[in-house]
Amino acid sequence: TIPISIVFSLLCFYIIHLIGTQHYSLGYRLTLAVKRRELVAFYQPIIDAQTGYIVGAEALVRWIKPNGSVESPGAFIQTLEQSKLINKVTLQLVNNMPNDLAEVLQCSPNFRCSINLVPQHLELPFFADELVTLSKNGYPCHQLAIEITERLPLKDLREAGMNVEKMKALGVCIELDDAGTGYGGASYLQELNIDVIKIDKLFVDTLIISPDRTQVLDANIQMAKTLGMQIIAEGVEEPSQSKALLEKGVRFQQGYLFAQPMSAVEFVKFWRIRQES
Ligand code: C2E
Ligand code: CA
Ligand code: CA
Ligand code: CA
């Protein structure tokens, strides 16, 4: 039999180890996770509500833990965004896209997948330069969109504008995310040569919460139309919202009504079924 003292020491060792790993900072655990490629894209379809067809998708980062659990970005995106790790993660996601979506990209030449960027991706030339290299190697940049959020401030709008131009020259589509909720407003629209406005869930919600107070939503839609920009409505959960948006001329819609974000494999399956029906 094993002496009790050895069993006791092993137990102590195990407990200390458990406590230890839990005390690693989130930043450190994320660094490891990025190295192990545990951060991957889930894809949420964007639907033409008039026809029911899938016109694109948004790539949203998920942390697949070694035990198989899936963590949403709410718990870690701020830590990523505040460190240089976000650069590596974004490039990993973009690099995986052609493989993740190979069948879809090939069969639907107009299908476009968007990726969320942070200000440092725009204010420094590295991301645009990286895309130039990818594009030279045959990357389908005309099937890529970048989402620029209004949630975070851009310090150097001119530099950002120049990098956006570089991406645009490759055929990348430029989208304004979280429109109307943050910093940029009209200056972003003017300086960043925006092609698509993504109307935030906040405004889509007014269609249910206070249908007689949709002035901001209507003004956003009107502005996009006046400027010749496309519109995508986010966070569409109810058929009545979808219908009301269609009546206002907003065909492209994204939300739980149609589908949640899915793993690449699930997304391609979802797309196949929609194609066949
Ligand atoms: P976002 O860019 O505004 O993305 C939309 C969020 O709304 C996603 O949450 C999506 O899952 C969720 N959503 C979609 N449809 C519905 C709906 O009908 N109802 C509700 N209640 N929610 C809906 P998620 O994936 O948790 O991402 C949260 C935020 O994290 C994103 O907001 C974005 O700001 C950030 N994020 C996600 N992935 C990335 C990434 O790869 N890079 C960066 N920089 N940020 C990311
Ligand atoms: Ca987004
Ligand atoms: Ca958004
Ligand atoms: Ca949002």
Side-chain angles (χ1 to χ4, degrees):
T1 59
I2 309 168
I4 190 104
S5 61
I6 291 185
V7 173
F8 184 72
S9 334
L10 279 176
L11 200 65
C12 285
F13 192 78
Y14 178 66
I15 289 170
I16 288 168
H17 173 76
L18 264 189
I19 294 172
T21 48
Q22 288 196 336
H23 273 82
Y24 285 138
S25 70
L26 179 58
Y28 180 70
R29 283 187 286 132
L30 279 167
T31 309
L32 282 184
V34 173
K35 255 190 208 138
R36 296 176 185 147
R37 299 195 162 256
E38 287 171 12
L39 295 176
V40 303
F42 268 34
Y43 298 93
Q44 186 179 34
I46 295 159
I47 309 282
D48 179 343
Q50 194 139 305
T51 62
Y53 285 130
I54 300 172
V55 294
E58 176 174 4
L60 295 155
V61 70
R62 294 290 181 270
W63 185 354
I64 313 291
K65 297 282 177 69
N67 68 6
S69 69
V70 178
E71 188 153 358
S72 284
F76 61 86
I77 195 70
Q78 244 194 326
T79 308
L80 272 190
E81 285 181 345
Q82 285 162 0
S83 79
K84 287 209 164 116
L85 272 180
I86 190 67
N87 298 345
K88 213 168 178 182
V89 174
T90 309
L91 284 178
Q92 277 184 4
L93 300 194
V94 170
N95 268 309
N96 286 340
M97 247 181 227
N99 188 43
D100 280 357
L101 305 174
E103 186 182 336
V104 182
L105 294 171
Q106 205 184 4
C107 296
S108 309
N110 294 323
F111 178 95
R112 218 161 43 202
C113 185
S114 64
I115 181 93
N116 291 282
L117 296 194
V118 291
Q120 50 182 301
H121 290 129
L122 296 171
E123 289 169 334
L124 300 170
F126 91 91
F127 188 78
D129 290 344
E130 193 76 33
L131 282 187
V132 172
T133 310
L134 286 175
S135 139
K136 280 187 188 142
N137 295 330
Y139 190 96
C141 281
H142 60 284
Q143 287 178 298
L144 180 71
I146 56 164
E147 297 197 8
I148 302 172
T149 182
E150 271 204 33
R151 187 169 54 80
L152 302 165
L154 270 171
K155 287 187 215 87
D156 195 339
L157 203 53
R158 267 201 63 225
E159 184 66 35
M162 272 157 26
N163 287 316
V164 164
E165 275 318 305
K166 243 194 251 174
M167 296 190 235
K168 222 168 155 141
L170 300 171
V172 175
C173 171
I174 317 298
E175 306 188 347
L176 184 66
D177 198 7
D178 309 314
T181 65
Y183 291 88
S187 62
Y188 278 31
L189 290 177
Q190 190 163 322
E191 298 294 322
L192 300 180
N193 220 328
I194 303 287
D195 300 300
V196 177
I197 287 190
K198 294 198 81 172
I199 295 187
D200 196 73
K201 180 174 185 302
L202 188 73
F203 303 114
V204 172
D205 281 344
T206 59
L207 289 166
I208 294 180
I209 299 167
S210 43
D212 53 339
R213 297 193 59 194
T214 59
Q215 292 89 340
V216 178
L217 173 72
D218 294 337
N220 268 323
I221 295 170
Q222 197 46 53
M223 182 186 63
K225 284 182 182 165
T226 306
L227 297 172
M229 294 166 184
Q230 276 188 9
I231 307 170
I232 298 173
E234 295 188 306
V236 181
E237 294 181 343
E238 302 286 336
S240 64
Q241 286 174 313
S242 177
K243 193 162 160 275
L245 284 163
L246 260 184
E247 278 161 8
K248 293 177 190 291
V250 181
R251 287 174 64 163
F252 299 151
Q253 303 179 10
Q254 176 183 359
Y256 294 167
L257 171 66
F258 308 102
Q260 302 243 350
M262 295 169 266
S263 72
V265 171
E266 289 299 320
F267 177 79
V268 174
K269 273 191 211 156
F270 182 88
W271 173 84
R272 277 194 203 128
I273 293 165
R274 286 276 178 142
Q275 285 297 102
E276 282 157 13
S277 60

